[in-house]
Amino acid sequence: MEKPFLQILAAIKEFAATAPDVYSVQEFSVKLIAERLPYYNWVGFYMLDPQDLNVLVLGPFHGAPTEHVRIPVSEGICGAAVAKGETVVVDDVNTDARYLACSIETRSEIVVPIRVNGRIVGEIDIDSHDLNAFGDGDRSFLEKCADIFGKLIETKRATTA
């Protein structure tokens, strides 16, 4: 894995070790990832609504505001990642009918599910203004981020239960 990815993962783990809650780690992470990886033009979390597991709710994000603050899991690339239960990479959003347009500048997107005890609880969503922006290194990096968040959510739930 490339050095910037490893450095970001280490920083997230270090911050998470003393963070008061998951939300603060998400806020820290979206800012850090966007700053260190300039081709990640929008970085955000969508979490499943605990009251309606068929809807994703926008969490912390870094980038332009979006009108998509609630996304049914039956819609969009974000919904597809939950429905399929796996990472979805779209090299050109203009060729994918599932894409929910947030910005005319977005050209590619990657969405990685976050799991707790094997169940999807949310996802990391990244948009880029570049075509074909996300390679195997990005996928591996973001899947490791999702693992960190899944474990963090599991740990925080266990300590507050």
Side-chain angles (χ1 to χ4, degrees), residues 38-78:
Y39 63 101
Y40 284 28
N41 300 106
W42 194 93
V43 179
F45 287 90
Y46 280 95
M47 304 305 288
L48 286 173
D49 183 339
Q51 307 304 315
D52 183 354
L53 297 178
N54 293 308
V55 176
L56 290 157
V57 178
L58 180 63
F61 69 93
H62 188 275
T66 178
E67 65 190 56
H68 301 290
V69 295
R70 294 179 65 81
I71 301 174
V73 297
S74 60
E75 294 181 17
I77 296 165
C78 287

Side-chain angles (χ1 to χ4, degrees), residues 88-105:
V88 175
V89 179
V90 178
D91 293 328
D92 181 354
V93 297
N94 292 317
T95 64
D96 194 313
R98 300 172 298 183
Y99 177 64
L100 298 175
C102 295
S103 166
I104 58 169
E105 295 176 305

Side-chain angles (χ1 to χ4, degrees), residues 1-157:
M1 186 175 292
E2 296 174 36
K3 190 173 183 176
F5 294 146
L6 293 172
Q7 292 172 333
I8 294 167
L9 289 169
I12 292 170
K13 287 177 184 175
E14 182 179 335
F15 184 85
T18 58
D21 54 40
V22 173
Y23 192 88
S24 62
V25 182
Q26 289 176 323
E27 286 182 317
F28 171 83
S29 299
V30 295
K31 186 173 186 260
L32 178 68
I33 291 168
E35 286 174 355
R36 299 266 181 99
L37 301 171
Y39 63 101
Y40 284 28
N41 300 106
W42 194 93
V43 179
F45 287 90
Y46 280 95
M47 304 305 288
L48 286 173
D49 183 339
Q51 307 304 315
D52 183 354
L53 297 178
N54 293 308
V55 176
L56 290 157
V57 178
L58 180 63
F61 69 93
H62 188 275
T66 178
E67 65 190 56
H68 301 290
V69 295
R70 294 179 65 81
I71 301 174
V73 297
S74 60
E75 294 181 17
I77 296 165
C78 287
V82 172
K84 291 175 72 173
E86 61 188 40
T87 298
V88 175
V89 179
V90 178
D91 293 328
D92 181 354
V93 297
N94 292 317
T95 64
D96 194 313
R98 300 172 298 183
Y99 177 64
L100 298 175
C102 295
S103 166
I104 58 169
E105 295 176 305
T106 298
R107 302 298 300 276
S108 56
E109 182 173 13
I110 183 170
V111 182
V112 180
I114 299 169
R115 289 181 171 77
V116 173
N117 297 321
R119 298 183 73 198
I120 295 174
V121 298
E123 59 195 23
I124 302 169
D125 180 20
I126 312 289
D127 294 350
S128 178
H129 296 170
D130 300 329
L131 284 173
N132 305 305
F134 309 110
D136 291 340
D138 298 281
R139 181 186 193 118
S140 177
F141 162 67
L142 292 167
E143 287 175 349
K144 287 187 184 338
C145 285
D147 289 344
I148 290 169
F149 277 93
K151 288 179 177 77
L152 181 63
I153 293 166
E154 187 177 334
T155 300
K156 294 293 184 188
R157 283 184 181 168

